[in-house]
Amino acid sequence: MRVRDLMTYPILSVGVDTTVFDAIQMMVRENKGSVLVVEGGLLKQVVGIATTSGIFKQVFAKGIDPRSVMIWEMMTPAPLVTIGPNASTKKAAETMREHNIRRLPVVECGALVGIITSKDLLRCVGDSGPEENSGQKQV
C-alpha cells in the first residue's frame, strides 16, 4: 500500500499570522491533533507544524494566553520530516519510528499534498482482514 492511499487531504493548515487560539479552535472543530503552518497560495509551502502536545507544553503549561501568541512563535519549524505520496506505508511507519513523530506531511514536487499519521497507519493494520490471532486467548 502507498502513502497516497491513506493520506488525508485537504490538510488542516493555517497561515503564519494565525493566533494559537484560532488554531486550537480549528483543531477542535475538525477533531485533529495538529495543524500545518503554511505560506503561499495554491502551492502551499509548509513552514512548520503545531501539535496539541506542543501547544500544551509551550503555551498552556506556561500560563500564556493563547490569544496573545502567534502560531509561528511555538510551531516546530521547517524543515520537517516529509514523505512522498508514492512511498510505501511501511516506509512511512519506519520514518515515523526513526524520528519519533506521529505525523508526516506528504510532499510532491515541493508542494504539500496531504498528511499521513500514525492513526492512519494503525487503521490500515486494523482493516487488513481477519484477525490473525483468532485462535489465541484474549487477555
Side-chain angles (χ1 to χ4, degrees), residues 21-139:
F21 181 79
D22 289 338
I24 292 168
Q25 286 190 316
M26 286 181 70
M27 292 164 67
V28 168
R29 188 171 49 251
E30 300 296 325
N31 195 30
K32 301 290 182 189
S34 66
V35 62
L36 290 173
V37 183
V38 298
E39 286 183 324
L42 291 175
L43 297 176
K44 296 176 182 171
Q45 179 182 355
V46 179
V47 296
I49 188 169
T51 64
T52 52
S53 61
I55 290 169
F56 283 119
K57 290 176 187 173
Q58 297 180 47
V59 179
F60 291 117
K62 295 178 180 178
I64 300 171
D65 180 358
R67 289 180 174 95
S68 69
V69 179
M70 302 307 283
I71 201 75
W72 66 265
E73 295 179 81
M74 57 75 44
M75 71 182 186
T76 300
L80 300 176
V81 177
T82 63
I83 196 160
N86 293 318
S88 70
T89 52
K90 180 179 180 184
K91 177 65 175 168
E94 290 169 351
T95 302
M96 287 180 190
R97 189 174 54 244
E98 177 184 340
H99 294 279
N100 194 30
I101 57 176
R102 294 182 291 170
R103 298 163 184 89
L104 268 177
V106 182
V107 176
E108 187 171 37
C109 299
L112 178 64
V113 296
I115 190 165
I116 188 166
T117 68
S118 56
K119 283 185 181 181
D120 296 328
L121 294 172
L122 287 173
R123 195 169 24 259
C124 173
V125 172
D127 294 341
S128 64
E131 192 173 321
E132 291 181 22
N133 298 328
S134 58
Q136 293 183 357
K137 182 178 175 182
Q138 296 291 322
V139 181

